[in-house]
Amino acid sequence: MKKLIAALATVAAFSAQAAETLTVAATAVPHAELLEFVKPQLAEQGVTLNVKVFTDYVQPNIQVAEKRLDANFFQHQPYLDEFNKGKGTDLVSVAGVHIEPFGAYSSKHKSLDALPNGANVVIPNDATNGGRALLLLAKAGVISLKDGAGITATPKDIAENPKNIKVRELEAATLPRVLTQVDLALINTNYALEAKLNPTQDALVIEGSDSPYVNILVARPDNKDSDAMQKLAAALHSEEVRKFIEEKYKGAVVPAF
């Protein structure tokens, strides 16, 4: 009888451990790939990780805030701050994982100097990534921005525009699809990688590894410190993940831990 009770207790303990489940939203590359990579490690710790792939930057936050998902992994802190401010949510960062240096791409021109007068340029239409694109163009000398224009800069903040470029704002996910129709597109690295672009080879200009836009695992205040969430954060900070990032993405994605 004692052996039976002990066996039942072991089964119960295992079931309780195995019952830990996290459902995490992610964009396909590299976020979902990183989550899939750590799945076996988490399973060994009794955490079942379900990865749901999204193609936009809005629904992953909304669904976490509404408790339809446990967490998401696709964004950087400036974007999260603007989202919380605009939507009245209180999502929080759990861990910073990697940097995706942001780049400018062209299928028509081989350098920024080759951009024609009146060139058509497209940038993301969300506040922080649009501002990030303009800051990169300013750093490259294509434009200059008004004093004080920062990560939320808009085309209205352009102070000098020697080439008279025409800037349009489009949804970030659509930018690779219009690359052949414009002179220059500033594309988030996750979408560039999905489109089979190699940021370190194909971008005409790209952020350095000192970019402040660290991609973060995001959750709610009520679950950010849960055992399962902390196990996921630890797994994403493992040396195995560092090696995976360095070998698979070859500089297009950079570990931030």
Side-chain angles (χ1 to χ4, degrees), residues 202-233:
D202 299 330
L204 302 187
V205 62
I206 194 168
E207 291 174 335
S209 59
D210 59 346
S211 167
Y213 299 93
V214 177
N215 280 230
I216 52 180
L217 176 67
V218 170
R220 299 181 303 274
D222 69 283
N223 71 347
K224 70 180 180 69
D225 294 319
S226 71
D227 184 58
M229 194 71 68
Q230 290 304 309
K231 286 177 180 176
L232 173 56

Side-chain angles (χ1 to χ4, degrees), residues 75-83 128 151-152 212-214 216:
Q75 65 195 311
H76 49 64
Q77 190 68 52
Y79 180 87
L80 177 61
D81 292 342
E82 285 296 311
F83 189 94
T128 53
I151 60 173
T152 57
Y213 299 93
V214 177
I216 52 180

Side-chain angles (χ1 to χ4, degrees), residues 37 84 89 120 206 213:
F37 180 76
N84 280 335
T89 49
N120 289 305
I206 194 168
Y213 299 93

Side-chain angles (χ1 to χ4, degrees), residues 73-221:
F73 182 34
F74 74 95
Q75 65 195 311
H76 49 64
Q77 190 68 52
Y79 180 87
L80 177 61
D81 292 342
E82 285 296 311
F83 189 94
N84 280 335
K85 181 180 177 181
K87 301 293 186 182
T89 49
D90 61 349
L91 302 176
V92 295
S93 171
V94 179
V97 180
H98 68 273
I99 296 167
E100 299 172 12
F102 193 85
Y105 301 83
S106 177
S107 63
K108 298 180 179 181
H109 312 291
K110 294 184 178 181
S111 71
L112 293 179
D113 290 338
L115 287 176
N117 189 64
N120 289 305
V121 178
V122 289
I123 66 174
N125 66 356
D126 61 272
T128 53
N129 284 308
R132 183 181 184 183
L134 293 171
L135 288 170
L136 183 58
L137 288 175
K139 186 175 181 179
V142 177
I143 59 172
S144 67
L145 297 172
K146 296 175 182 176
D147 290 342
I151 60 173
T152 57
T154 72
K156 293 180 180 179
D157 293 307
I158 296 175
E160 296 180 4
N161 187 359
K163 287 182 177 285
N164 298 306
I165 65 170
K166 298 173 183 177
V167 179
R168 287 188 295 144
E169 298 169 286
L170 299 175
E171 185 180 350
T174 69
L175 296 178
R177 298 199 291 270
V178 302
L179 183 57
T180 59
Q181 303 167 34
V182 299
D183 292 292
L184 191 71
L186 286 99
I187 304 174
N188 291 80
T189 292
N190 61 303
Y191 291 132
L193 291 171
E194 285 182 42
K196 307 303 180 185
L197 294 167
N198 184 326
T200 58
Q201 295 180 15
D202 299 330
L204 302 187
V205 62
I206 194 168
E207 291 174 335
S209 59
D210 59 346
S211 167
Y213 299 93
V214 177
N215 280 230
I216 52 180
L217 176 67
V218 170
R220 299 181 303 274

